């Protein structure tokens, strides 16, 4: 009966609560701290009040009944996962997961001539954060990249929450940087609810010019961005390849010729030494 009364109060008071609900952020698998925002200006004894926490309109999260914690009515997933700091009027929600994200309501009742009376109600909105892996660029192109041929790359990041805003490619050569807003494929794990993101880049790269390509994952204004390790590329043009041939071809020929001449000189010297040795032997 008491639980029904609590929910009835919540349903009545929720529409009248200000639209601006305090937001609380917590990292995945850490402890979230949810405040009742109760000033307790009258220094009310905790033995004279009931503190009731609920999520949404149906889940009972925590209950302190006249100074004593009660567990009879708790939703199964919150059993042994909550602690109430009565000095700070703060609920600690342990080992939070994605499923814990949502709106929580704190209702405080005071014993008034035997009948509990609501003296305070507040809400807070819990957001869960999970760190994405550093974006990583993968080379999709097969074989050696030739001049004026399209370069195929992919950038991926995994295991994060919430869903990122966008993924941007940064292509830098010389003093110029070009941005490319590639399509971002997003998938969510059915069990963990964490997101994986991938984007592909199909572009040409200027020849004979060092080029750095990075991908930037935008997580939001408050969470910032993650950037990949730059991929360094330089494509040699046909003229440059021909210049190498023109330079190294004659050089290699000269080296081979010098090697042959040196071999002939050494061979001739060995023969002269051999003839001289034979002449000495006959004289003896």
């Amino acid at each position: 009966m008491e639980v029904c009364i609590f929910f009835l109060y919540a349903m009545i008071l929720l529409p009248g609560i200000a639209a601006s609900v305090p937001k609380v952020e917590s990292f995945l698998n850490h402890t979230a701290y949810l405040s009742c925002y109760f000033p307790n200006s009258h220094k009310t004894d905790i033995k004279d009040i009931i503190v009731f926490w609920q999520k949404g309109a149906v889940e009972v999260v925590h209950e302190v009944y006249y100074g004593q914690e009660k567990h009879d009515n708790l939703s199964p997933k919150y059993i042994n996962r909550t602690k109430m700091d009565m000095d700070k009027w703060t609920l600690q929600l342990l080992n939070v997961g994605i499923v814990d994200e949502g709106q929580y309501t704190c209702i405080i009742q005071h014993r008034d001539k035997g009948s509990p009376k609501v003296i305070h109600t507040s809400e807070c909105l819990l957001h869960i954060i999970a760190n994405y892996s550093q974006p990583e660029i993968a080379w999709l192109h097969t074989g050696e990249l030739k001049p004026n041929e399209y370069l195929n790359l992919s950038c991926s990041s995994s295991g994060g929450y919430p869903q990122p805003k966008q993924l941007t490619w940064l292509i830098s050569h010389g003093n110029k940087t070009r941005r490319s807003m590639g399509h971002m494929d997003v998938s969510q794990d059915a069990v963990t609810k964490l997101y994986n993101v991938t984007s592909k880049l199909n572009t040409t790269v200027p020849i004979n010019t060092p080029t750095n390509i990075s991908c930037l994952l935008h997580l939001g204004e408050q969470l910032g961005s993650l950037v990949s390790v730059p991929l360094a590329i330089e494509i040699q043009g046909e003229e440059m390849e021909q210049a190498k041939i023109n330079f190294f071809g004659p050089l290699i020929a000269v080296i081979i010729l010098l090697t042959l001449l040196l071999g002939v000189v050494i061979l001739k010297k060995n023969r002269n030494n051999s003839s001289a040795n034979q002449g000495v032997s006959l004289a003896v």
Side-chain angles (χ1 to χ4, degrees), residues 18 29 34 47 66 103-104 120 137 142 151 165 175-177 189 214 220 243 253 261 271:
N29 299 326
L34 311 178
K47 294 182 180 180
Y66 298 127
Q103 190 159 298
Y104 290 78
H120 179 80
I137 296 177
T142 56
L151 173 68
K165 300 301 180 182
N175 296 325
K176 297 180 180 180
T177 298
D189 188 279
S214 305
L261 290 174
R271 286 180 178 179

Side-chain angles (χ1 to χ4, degrees), residues 263-280:
V264 171
V265 170
I266 293 173
L267 181 60
K268 187 175 180 180
K269 183 177 181 181
N270 289 337
R271 286 180 178 179
N272 291 336
N273 290 337
S274 178
S275 299
N277 291 333
Q278 289 180 0
V280 172

Side-chain angles (χ1 to χ4, degrees), residues 8-283:
L8 179 60
Y9 275 121
M11 297 305 294
I12 293 173
L13 292 171
L14 285 179
I17 296 176
S20 179
V21 177
K23 296 179 181 180
V24 177
E25 293 182 344
S26 178
F27 283 98
L28 182 68
N29 299 326
H30 285 61
T31 298
Y33 297 87
L34 311 178
S35 177
C36 270
Y37 304 101
F38 180 50
N40 194 21
S41 55
H42 297 291
K43 306 298 180 182
T44 305
D45 194 325
I46 61 172
K47 294 182 180 180
D48 294 326
I49 61 174
I50 299 172
V51 181
F52 183 79
W53 279 92
Q54 69 182 50
K55 182 187 178 187
V58 294
E59 291 185 295
V60 181
V61 179
H62 194 84
E63 183 180 3
V64 179
Y65 191 79
Y66 298 127
Q68 298 294 323
E69 292 188 343
K70 291 185 64 176
H71 306 284
D72 300 341
N73 303 317
L74 298 187
S75 297
K77 70 178 183 180
Y78 294 108
I79 295 176
N80 297 324
R81 291 186 56 219
T82 57
K83 295 179 181 180
M84 185 70 189
D85 186 340
M86 299 302 292
D87 293 327
K88 298 181 179 179
W89 303 97
T90 300
L91 179 71
Q92 300 177 29
L93 181 57
L94 311 178
N95 193 31
V96 293
I98 305 299
V99 293
D100 294 318
E101 193 171 61
Q103 190 159 298
Y104 290 78
T105 304
C106 173
I107 303 170
I108 299 179
Q109 293 181 315
H110 181 257
R111 182 161 31 197
D112 184 19
K113 297 180 180 180
S115 298
K117 178 182 178 182
V118 175
I119 59 173
H120 179 80
T121 302
S122 65
E123 289 185 331
C124 61
L125 190 60
L126 176 62
H127 292 287
I128 305 301
I129 300 171
N131 289 324
Y132 281 85
S133 63
Q134 183 180 16
E136 185 174 349
I137 296 177
W139 184 285
L140 302 180
H141 192 87
T142 56
E144 185 179 355
L145 189 64
K146 299 179 181 179
N148 301 320
E149 190 175 10
Y150 275 87
L151 173 68
N152 295 316
L153 300 174
S154 72
C155 177
S156 59
S157 179
S158 61
Y161 192 91
Q163 182 173 334
K165 300 301 180 182
Q166 64 185 27
L167 191 149
T168 304
W169 289 90
L170 304 177
I171 306 168
S172 303
H173 47 84
N175 296 325
K176 297 180 180 180
T177 298
R178 175 168 61 89
R179 291 175 175 263
S180 177
M181 309 294 290
H183 172 71
M184 185 174 64
D185 294 320
V186 181
S187 62
Q188 187 176 27
D189 188 279
V191 178
T192 65
K193 305 302 180 183
L194 299 177
Y195 288 102
N196 302 319
V197 295
T198 303
S199 178
K200 294 182 180 180
L201 177 68
N202 186 257
T203 185
T204 56
V205 178
I207 60 175
N208 306 327
T209 304
T211 301
N212 288 323
I213 299 178
S214 305
C215 58
L216 188 66
L217 184 64
H218 303 270
L219 304 177
E221 292 182 2
Q222 296 181 343
L223 300 179
S225 303
L226 294 174
V227 64
S228 69
V229 175
L231 177 66
I233 300 173
E234 184 172 1
I235 303 173
Q236 302 295 338
E238 295 180 357
E239 294 180 359
M240 181 65 72
E241 293 294 332
Q242 187 62 45
K244 285 185 177 180
I245 294 173
N246 294 338
F247 176 77
F248 288 107
L251 180 61
I252 293 172
V254 170
I255 293 173
I256 293 174
L257 181 59
L258 290 175
T259 303
L260 291 174
L261 290 174
L262 181 61
V264 171
V265 170
I266 293 173
L267 181 60
K268 187 175 180 180
K269 183 177 181 181
N270 289 337
R271 286 180 178 179
N272 291 336
N273 290 337
S274 178
S275 299
N277 291 333
Q278 289 180 0
V280 172
S281 299
L282 290 175

